[in-house]
Amino acid sequence: ATLIMQMLDKIPCTTVEPGIHRRRGGPAPEEDSDGEEKEVEDDTPMTTQSVRFTLTEVAGALMRSNREEFSEVALPTYMELVKSLVKQDRSESDRCLGFYMADDAVAILGEKSV
């Protein structure tokens, strides 16, 4: 988790790029004739910001699967990064990512995120 935070902090995103919005609650994956999930074709271009959001989703998955351990080991670093990203002097892309991260932490960890 700390590595993810370091990567997020080092990937600069100075302009607003397409794909900065959170995609939650998308349609359920379709199944093929064998009952396997069909691979969904995504026309969204790969951008610096989409990579940052994907790394954040990995951190969110770690939070969901290991709440106690994440809170103990990685949450302080995670929240420091959130604080850094949401400062007013940061770019819109940074602030968007920071609020996205804060939303995940509160949604997953509840009171432990404070």
Side-chain angles (χ1 to χ4, degrees):
T2 303
L3 178 61
I4 292 169
M5 299 314 118
Q6 290 171 350
M7 290 171 64
L8 280 169
D9 196 33
K10 301 291 183 215
I11 300 173
C13 187
T14 55
T15 61
V16 177
E17 298 174 342
I20 66 168
H21 302 289
R22 181 178 198 157
R23 291 187 286 169
R24 217 183 231 179
E30 295 180 30
E31 293 182 358
D32 63 13
S33 60
D34 296 341
E36 298 289 321
E37 287 183 6
K38 285 184 180 178
E39 198 168 309
V40 178
E41 291 185 32
D42 191 1
D43 295 336
T44 306
M46 181 67 68
T47 64
T48 303
Q49 188 72 336
S50 65
V51 170
R52 291 167 42 148
F53 272 87
T54 301
L55 287 170
T56 300
E57 289 170 5
V58 171
L62 289 171
M63 268 189 253
R64 275 191 268 319
S65 64
N66 298 297
R67 285 181 175 91
E68 294 298 321
E69 292 85 356
F70 189 92
S71 296
E72 194 175 305
V73 175
L75 187 60
T77 304
Y78 186 90
M79 294 312 286
E80 284 299 317
L81 181 57
V82 168
K83 285 190 250 182
S84 169
L85 289 169
V86 299
K87 290 181 178 176
Q88 280 200 310
D89 63 335
R90 297 296 291 256
S91 69
E92 182 181 343
S93 297
D94 284 349
R95 296 186 81 220
C96 183
L97 182 68
F99 287 121
Y100 179 88
M101 292 172 67
D103 181 57
D104 262 0
V106 171
I108 296 167
L109 300 175
E111 288 182 13
K112 291 181 182 180
S113 65
V114 180

